[in-house]
Amino acid sequence: MGFVGLTALALFAAGPAVRRIGSDALASVTARLARAALVLGVLAVPAVLTDLAHGASESGGYDYAAAWNSLYDGSNAGRLSGLEVTLALVGAASVAPLAYRAVAGGRARSWLLGIGLAAGAVALGTTKFPTEAPDDWGRTGFETVIWMVHLLGGSVWIGGLAGLLLLALPGAVPETARAAFWSAAIRRFSVLAMSCVAAITLSGLFLYWEHVDGPAQLFTTMYGRVLGVKILIFGTMLLLGVFNQFWLHPRIDALRAGGDQRSLRTILLRQFPALLAVELLLGMTVLFVAPFLHGSARNQAYQAEAAKHATSPSAELPKIPAKQVSASTWTWGTAETLAVIVVMVGGYRVSGRIARSRTAAAAAVTMSKGPGDLVDA
């Protein structure tokens, strides 16, 4: 997920923002993000093998030989695991040349980042592709797409935050170009982040509908309680994103237009990295909580009720059938989709107007002051 987020940030936000500043700055920013992405792409391989080794061990330990032999063993699960490892290495190999500044500022930059992003995205998708032929191809295909949207949205958002934090450290962006870079980079990343929030929200609503029968199960089942914690953390991240979108970015633009380098330097060196670090820590916490979501709240509540009437403690508990899609499901789903899109687009436009109005006001104040007034200020 980190690899996908870093490459997406370099390709769609940081790169276009720094391109106008100069080739040296473009090479520096791209090289820093590429080096971090390369490390994560390589680390994905032992991570996948360790997971497979733990599942293959009969004693609860780690059987790496069995894990290695399971790759491309002829089964669908083996093919998917093999593709995950192979594509992670392909992605790492694609961004490896960009670790050198001579290549990072050249024409091959966009192509290498695009290949790495595509390989990383498909490698991520293999974790949710079905390992057996489904009975209902339509529903399974739709669920797979939803999971892909959920994972890619989280990857670009959390990985992008990590990338911005790396760029906020000294040495990535020339000091004279920081104000211009961060003003454009934050704005571009805001578009990515809001798209990710929309993707996570819509896919999360579907997964909630599929696995939870009403808000009460958020408190009465283990799945629901874990999901509730995840929702609270996501909501906190969303509030921090709103703070960044409607207060921090307009203030950076206003300070840049007004020429107040002292306040701008304080924000870029202290407040902005601290905000990124907190948001990234919350995102990592979400990733830590997510693996505890096993089964579904619907099934846990159904089995808890069935256990009360079981004749034997060892009796196998039944499973509740999957929810069936109806006309009302599509109606509510369409309405939720439109509502989320309207809110995201409206929020982006409002924040843009706030930034432009504050910038114009700051520029007007600067023009009204004489040289002596500026020195006194």
Side-chain angles (χ1 to χ4, degrees), residues 43-53 67 71 80-82 84-85 88 127:
L43 286 178
V45 175
V48 172
L49 290 176
T50 299
D51 185 37
L52 294 174
L71 302 179
L80 291 176
S81 298
E84 187 178 3
V85 170
T127 61

Side-chain angles (χ1 to χ4, degrees), residues 59-224:
S59 60
Y62 296 89
D63 190 344
Y64 284 95
W68 179 259
N69 292 330
S70 69
L71 302 179
Y72 298 112
D73 61 356
S75 65
N76 287 333
R79 294 188 189 97
L80 291 176
S81 298
L83 279 175
E84 187 178 3
V85 170
T86 302
L87 291 174
L89 290 175
V90 169
S94 299
V95 301
L98 298 175
Y100 300 95
R101 295 193 179 190
V103 181
R107 296 181 178 179
R109 174 188 171 277
S110 298
W111 283 100
L112 292 174
L113 286 174
I115 294 172
L117 178 59
V122 178
L124 192 63
T126 59
T127 61
K128 292 298 180 182
F129 291 164
T131 58
E132 298 179 358
D135 297 329
D136 187 345
W137 279 96
R139 179 169 185 140
T140 302
F142 185 76
E143 289 175 347
T144 303
V145 170
I146 289 295
W147 270 113
M148 285 288 294
V149 170
H150 204 68
L151 288 176
L152 289 174
S155 300
V156 174
W157 191 12
I158 298 174
L161 290 173
L164 290 178
L165 187 58
L166 285 174
L167 295 179
L169 299 176
V173 184
E175 186 174 355
T176 56
R178 285 178 184 171
F181 168 74
W182 284 111
S183 179
I186 294 174
R187 193 63 180 171
R188 285 182 173 274
F189 181 71
S190 295
V191 177
L192 283 178
M194 295 184 77
S195 301
C196 292
V197 168
I200 294 171
T201 301
L202 292 174
S203 57
L205 286 171
F206 171 79
L207 295 173
Y208 175 87
W209 169 84
E210 191 175 43
H211 296 294
V212 182
D213 276 338
Q217 290 186 357
L218 294 176
F219 304 95
T220 58
T221 64
M222 179 58 68
Y223 183 98

